[in-house]
Amino acid sequence: MSVDTSALSQPLYDPAVDGTYVPPLDIVLACAREELARYATANIHDHHEVLVAAVSTHDRLRQLVAALDKEAGR
């Protein structure tokens, strides 16, 4: 017996829902450094802690790329 889990799935990023505001590069870069420091000691054996770190870092990386693109005029 299989269970339909498609309704439980949710993407990390949805352009239709997520905002389009891009903070200045210097702010995003400072936040990215804080993010790296915050999760540098995450326990890789703690599933929840690793999941939180991964999602948070994914969001920060997306912001960093958007800020770099904006500064480069892309």
Side-chain angles (χ1 to χ4, degrees):
M1 177 178 172
S2 67
V3 176
D4 181 14
T5 59
S6 62
L8 301 175
S9 178
Q10 196 172 12
L12 289 176
Y13 175 74
D14 183 354
V17 177
D18 294 326
T20 58
Y21 170 71
V22 178
L25 179 58
D26 59 332
I27 292 173
V28 176
L29 187 56
C31 291
R33 287 188 172 118
E34 289 176 12
E35 193 89 14
L36 287 172
R38 179 181 309 136
Y39 295 115
T41 59
N43 180 357
I44 64 168
H45 301 290
D46 183 333
H47 176 75
H48 181 262
E49 193 172 347
V50 170
L51 183 61
V52 169
V55 171
S56 185
T57 305
H58 172 87
D59 288 342
R60 190 65 67 200
L61 180 60
R62 183 172 293 285
Q63 289 176 346
L64 184 57
V65 169
L68 287 168
D69 283 348
K70 182 178 178 182
E71 185 168 280
R74 292 179 239 170

